[in-house]
Amino acid sequence: MSDDQLIFRPDDVDLSRSPLRRGIAEPTYALGAFNPGMTRLPNGNLLLMVRIAEALSQPVEGEHVRAIRWDQGRYVLDRYRVDQVDMADPRQFALRGAAHRMLALTSLSWLLPVEISPDGETVLAVHYDKAIEPAATWQDYGVEDPRISRIGDRWYMTTCSVSAERHSTTLHISENGMDYTLVGIILDHQNKDMLFFEGLVRGRFMALTRPLGEVYFAYPEASPYVGGPSINFATSPDGLHWKPLEAPGIRARKASTSAMKVGGGTPPILTKDGWLTLYHGVERRDAVGIYRSFWALFDAEDPTRILRLEDDHPVLEADPELTAPIAHQIYLPTPVVFSTGIVDMGDHYLVASGEADLACRMTRLPKDRFR
């Protein structure tokens, strides 16, 4: 049994079965198959809901760079003059001269359900017929970064939907863990990395959120925190209508390697010690930064009470040995691991992550690591 492996890679994706074939005749490739939501299915198998970032093999044509966009059930190409964009970040390009920071993506993301064995070792089936793709104008640049939480007899999957209209959190619900129905937008513009707690708290839904914005305010000089994106708490009576809570959540500390920003990772699960979650912290480096996974423990009855916050030593870092066989496909300039799912395996936890924004990583972590 492997303690750390890549279980699904870009070359494992059959793009002849991609939804983008409805309209895109130009050659494409899987830029990444990564950041998988994870859950246990009723049959005992595990499900990885894998984000597939599909990109044009030749995005630049003449004097233009092209971006893929969903348009009323089909896919089309938009053209931008190369001399009017900044392509420093391999994941996106910025339009020069816009009144606001304006981006277009070098790929469009859709979600692919991958069923794996109960031990997390073997791919059993890839369900192209159940793929999740854009379905509305507020998703026309893609559906990204799923997180799955089983609460009672239902599975709740949050995703980030990207469009020119808004950059929102959307919800899908399943009665069997495999077939998901889009409910709609539940958090508005630029509120990413929303994670449902895997269980109700005092009869209510609880979630971690991570709002983004153009402006942040400075903490006092003596404060241990640095201004910027933070992980906050929210509560809901039904999983659809959410109220932010006033208590501060996880904030980046000046003295930590996460001083650039923090964001949600794995949906919190209830342990004997409280609610356990892994989250990502980012160290400033080049255009993207170095992403690592850290962990936090919240009180079982009042999760706004943070019992433990481990941001000194990461529980997971990018591992170049894992990606060595596919190193020729790496496009990010810095190491990235982005944890997105966790399952209790009895004597250990199985953690699903995106490795290098490229592939799906499965890591076994002993439970005493979180004490």
Side-chain angles (χ1 to χ4, degrees), residues 218-226 254:
Y219 282 97
E221 185 177 354
S223 171
Y225 303 109
V226 59
K254 295 175 183 176

Side-chain angles (χ1 to χ4, degrees), residues 226-229 252 256-262 282-285 287-289:
V226 59
S256 76
T257 56
S258 305
M260 179 177 171
K261 64 179 178 180
V262 294
V282 186
E283 179 182 357
R284 187 175 300 279
R285 186 80 59 85
V288 176

